[in-house]
Amino acid sequence: MLQSLASSLGPWSWWIFGLLLLAAELLVPGVFLIWIGASAIIVGALSLLFWEAGFWSWQLQFVLFAALAAVLALFGRRFYSNNRETDEPLLNRRGETLVGRTATLREPIREGRGRVHLDDTWWSVRGPDLPAGTQVRITSADGGKLSVEAV
C-alpha cells in the first residue's frame, strides 16, 4: 500500500514525508526531526530532477536520505551545542555562585555532612566535622551539595 502510494505521488512523496516530519517537530520540539525532515525535502528536490533517470531507484533515494539525515543531524547537534559563550556563565547554576561566600553552620557537620542556611535556602554541606555555629567558607559546589572549610 505504501509503495503504491509513494509511486503514485512520485517525487512529491518525499516532500510530504519531509513536511510531516517538520510538523512533528512542532508538536514534539527537540530540534531533531527538523534535520530528518530537511533531508527528506532535499531528496524530494533531487527526485524532481532525477525521477525519470534510470539510476534514481528507491534504494538510492533511501540511502541518500539516510546519509543526509545523519550528516544534517550531526551538523545540527554541533550548531545547537550548549558550549556557547555567554555573558552569564553561572545562570541556572546557583550553587556555583555561592563559592567563596561565608556562612554559619546551622546544623553541625557530623560524619562529613551538615547544613547551612544561605539567603532563602537550606544547603547540604560536606566537610570536616564541625559544631553548629562555626563560620565556614564554601569552597566548591556539586549540584545541590556544597563543600566547606572552617574559616
Side-chain angles (χ1 to χ4, degrees), residues 65-106:
F65 167 71
L68 276 173
V71 168
L72 288 179
L74 289 173
F75 167 77
R77 181 182 174 131
R78 176 169 243 182
F79 183 73
Y80 283 108
S81 70
N82 292 330
N83 297 331
R84 293 188 177 181
E85 292 292 322
T86 177
D87 59 340
E88 292 287 339
L90 298 178
L91 183 65
N92 295 328
R93 294 178 5 203
R94 187 171 174 208
E96 292 179 32
T97 64
L98 301 174
V99 174
R101 286 187 59 182
T102 58
T104 304
L105 282 176
R106 295 287 179 104

Side-chain angles (χ1 to χ4, degrees), residues 56-150:
W56 195 248
S57 65
W58 69 268
Q59 294 94 341
L60 177 63
Q61 293 174 40
F62 184 75
V63 167
L64 182 63
F65 167 71
L68 276 173
V71 168
L72 288 179
L74 289 173
F75 167 77
R77 181 182 174 131
R78 176 169 243 182
F79 183 73
Y80 283 108
S81 70
N82 292 330
N83 297 331
R84 293 188 177 181
E85 292 292 322
T86 177
D87 59 340
E88 292 287 339
L90 298 178
L91 183 65
N92 295 328
R93 294 178 5 203
R94 187 171 174 208
E96 292 179 32
T97 64
L98 301 174
V99 174
R101 286 187 59 182
T102 58
T104 304
L105 282 176
R106 295 287 179 104
E107 294 179 11
I109 300 179
R110 290 189 187 122
E111 298 179 8
R113 297 177 191 261
R115 289 177 34 136
V116 296
H117 189 262
L118 281 169
D119 300 329
D120 62 346
T121 307
W122 285 90
W123 292 88
S124 295
V125 296
R126 327 177 247 217
D129 289 354
L130 297 169
T134 305
Q135 286 281 80
V136 293
R137 175 174 287 111
I138 300 164
T139 57
S140 67
D142 181 23
K145 297 212 181 243
L146 305 175
S147 295
V148 297
E149 63 183 18

